[in-house]
């Protein structure tokens, strides 16, 4: 089929379009080296972005980060750089376009892969969409971070926590992602627990209504005050102290919460010992071990 002028209407229109300084143009990378990036703008002239106008990110390497075929938006600095090309600045365009993108990223809660490029007072610095973002030390981890220098040049995952276009302020956070992962891991561990399991744990805190016991592997469960021992007590501290090692039975799992019983674990252990004593062979000699001495080491 013969080609007509109409087939090239879009290209013709673009070629006659008047470009002004300050316009933001989008083109396709056709060449990139350590000095500059060249864009195909579908125009009579190509676009040139000098390396210093491509990114303000410390250590940014065009050869590693920019590839032929990438789409790039940049601001027109000069319509003619003296060699017939259009001089562009991606940095300038990023200052205009990036903030809207960052707001979108905040709303979508998208997980972003960044590299920590600097350590400052109270946190670290990373770049998103060419914009400098601050990650407070309290948002780097689920635990207290004593030395933020450990994060320098380290890749981490973050989300946009806060954006202020007017103040040109970007705050990033890794904490929410880490909390979500930890909760997912905890749920998986809880799902592997079986009701009826007897295990050992450490009393980690005492409340008026019961005791929290650390089972290890990031799991803790509650022993209600009624499940601590056979006798009635007014408060757990009457029979337990923080740090005590106790045997517990898993009695329930609901909504990720683990219910435990020291009393039932003790009952089951006592029953097992009793069965062992009953099954002792009759040697004609008097058994020297009494039930009382067998129970003496069981913590109630």
């Amino acid at each position: 089929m013969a080609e007509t002028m109409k087939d090239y209407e879009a290209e013709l229109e673009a070629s006659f379009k008047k470009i002004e300084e300050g316009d933001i143009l989008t083109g396709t990378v056709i060449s990139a080296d350590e000095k500059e990036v060249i864009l195909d703008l579908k125009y009579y002239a190509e676009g040139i972005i000098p390396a210093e106008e491509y990114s303000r990110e410390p250590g940014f390497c065009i050869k590693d980060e920019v590839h032929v075929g990438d789409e790039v938006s940049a601001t027109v600095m000069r319509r003619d750089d003296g060699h017939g090309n259009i001089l562009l600045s991606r940095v300038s365009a990023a200052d205009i376009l990036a903030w809207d993108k960052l707001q979108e990223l905040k709303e979508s809660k998208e997980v972003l892969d960044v590299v920590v490029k600097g350590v400052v007072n109270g946190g670290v610095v990373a770049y998103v969409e060419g914009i400098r973002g601050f990650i407070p030390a309290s948002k780097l981890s689920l635990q207290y971070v004593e030395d933020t220098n450990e994060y320098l040049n380290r890749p981490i995952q973050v989300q946009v926590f806060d954006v202020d276009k007017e103040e040109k302020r970007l705050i990033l956070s890794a904490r929410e992602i880490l909390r979500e992962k930890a909760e997912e891991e905890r749920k998986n561990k809880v799902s592997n627990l079986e009701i009826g399991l007897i295990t050992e744990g450490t009393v980690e805190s005492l409340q008026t209504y019961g005791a929290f016991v650390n089972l290890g592997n990031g799991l803790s469960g509650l022993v209600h005050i009624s499940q601590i021992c056979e006798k009635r007590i007014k408060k757990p501290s009457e029979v337990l102290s923080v740090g005590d090692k106790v045997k517990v039975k898993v009695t329930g799992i609901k909504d990720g919460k683990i219910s435990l019983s020291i009393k039932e674990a003790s009952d089951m252990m006592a029953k097992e010992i009793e069965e062992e004593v009953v099954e002792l062979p009759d040697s004609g000699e008097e058994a020297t071990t009494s039930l009382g001495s067998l129970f003496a080491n069981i913590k109630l």
Side-chain angles (χ1 to χ4, degrees):
M1 189 173 77
E3 294 175 330
T4 66
M5 190 73 79
K6 193 170 180 61
D7 294 322
Y8 295 96
E9 191 173 338
E11 285 84 350
L12 282 166
E13 187 177 336
S15 70
F16 288 117
K17 178 187 173 187
K18 186 162 178 64
I19 289 176
E20 300 289 350
E21 291 181 7
D23 286 352
I24 294 178
L25 307 178
T26 300
T28 305
V29 176
I30 55 176
S31 173
D33 58 33
E34 63 275 2
K35 292 182 179 179
E36 62 188 18
V37 174
I38 302 176
L39 301 184
D40 175 11
L41 301 171
K42 298 197 183 314
Y43 196 64
Y44 71 85
E46 293 173 341
I48 304 291
I49 309 176
E52 64 273 15
E53 290 295 331
Y54 197 90
S55 175
R56 289 199 186 104
E57 186 174 337
F60 185 89
C61 178
I62 286 178
K63 289 181 76 175
D64 293 339
E65 304 290 339
V66 185
H67 308 97
V68 172
D70 287 354
E71 274 207 348
V72 177
S73 294
T75 302
V76 176
M77 296 171 68
R78 287 208 303 272
R79 287 181 291 179
D80 189 335
D81 66 349
H83 302 283
N85 302 305
I86 300 168
L87 189 63
L88 303 169
S89 170
R90 178 176 171 272
V91 166
S92 179
D95 284 343
I96 299 167
L97 300 174
W99 294 101
D100 292 335
K101 175 66 174 175
L102 291 169
Q103 186 61 45
E104 288 175 17
L105 291 172
K106 179 189 174 185
E107 290 165 8
S108 69
K109 297 184 178 179
E110 185 176 330
V111 175
L112 308 168
D113 292 302
V114 300
V115 176
V116 173
K117 291 298 181 76
V119 175
V120 293
N121 188 30
V124 300
V125 170
Y127 288 75
V128 178
E129 296 292 319
I131 301 297
R132 180 184 187 274
F134 174 62
I135 311 173
S138 61
K139 296 288 185 185
L140 275 171
S141 172
L142 294 177
Q143 289 80 40
Y144 173 72
V145 176
E146 191 167 337
D147 185 10
T148 51
N149 283 291
E150 293 176 2
Y151 284 82
L152 188 61
N153 297 320
R154 210 170 107 182
I156 60 169
Q157 289 190 317
V158 297
Q159 290 172 309
V160 174
F161 184 76
D162 193 24
V163 179
D164 189 331
K165 184 177 180 179
E166 299 303 317
E167 297 292 329
K168 295 195 180 302
R169 186 182 66 180
L170 170 63
I171 298 177
L172 308 170
S173 174
R175 190 176 178 85
E176 287 70 26
I177 300 169
L178 295 172
R179 185 184 288 128
E180 200 171 299
K181 285 182 179 177
E183 185 57 31
E184 194 61 39
E185 285 175 12
R186 184 183 182 280
K187 284 179 181 176
N188 289 335
K189 290 172 185 174
V190 169
S191 68
N192 289 328
L193 279 180
E194 290 183 5
I195 292 176
L197 171 73
I198 291 182
T199 185
E200 186 176 76
T202 306
V203 177
E204 62 182 2
S205 72
L206 298 174
Q207 309 297 329
T208 54
Y209 51 84
F212 283 96
V213 175
N214 187 335
L215 303 176
N217 205 22
L219 297 178
S220 293
L222 172 66
V223 182
H224 190 266
I225 190 168
S226 64
Q227 294 298 312
I228 290 177
C229 59
E230 292 289 351
K231 69 177 182 179
R232 193 166 181 175
I233 56 175
K234 290 183 178 180
K235 52 186 179 180
S237 58
E238 290 178 24
V239 291
L240 292 174
S241 300
V242 171
D244 283 353
K245 299 285 185 185
V246 291
K247 293 286 186 184
V248 293
K249 176 183 175 183
V250 178
T251 57
I253 300 169
K254 186 177 180 182
D255 299 329
K257 294 178 181 177
I258 305 167
S259 297
L260 304 170
S261 174
I262 296 174
K263 184 169 73 173
E264 288 190 30
S266 299
D267 289 346
M268 287 185 70
M269 289 165 63
K271 188 177 179 183
E272 286 174 9
I273 293 172
E274 187 176 352
E275 287 172 355
E276 285 176 16
V277 171
V278 170
E279 291 171 9
L280 282 174
D282 185 4
S283 63
E285 296 179 9
E286 188 178 338
T288 57
T289 305
S290 68
L291 282 176
S293 61
L294 284 169
F295 292 162
N297 293 325
I298 298 174
K299 182 147 186 135
L300 298 177

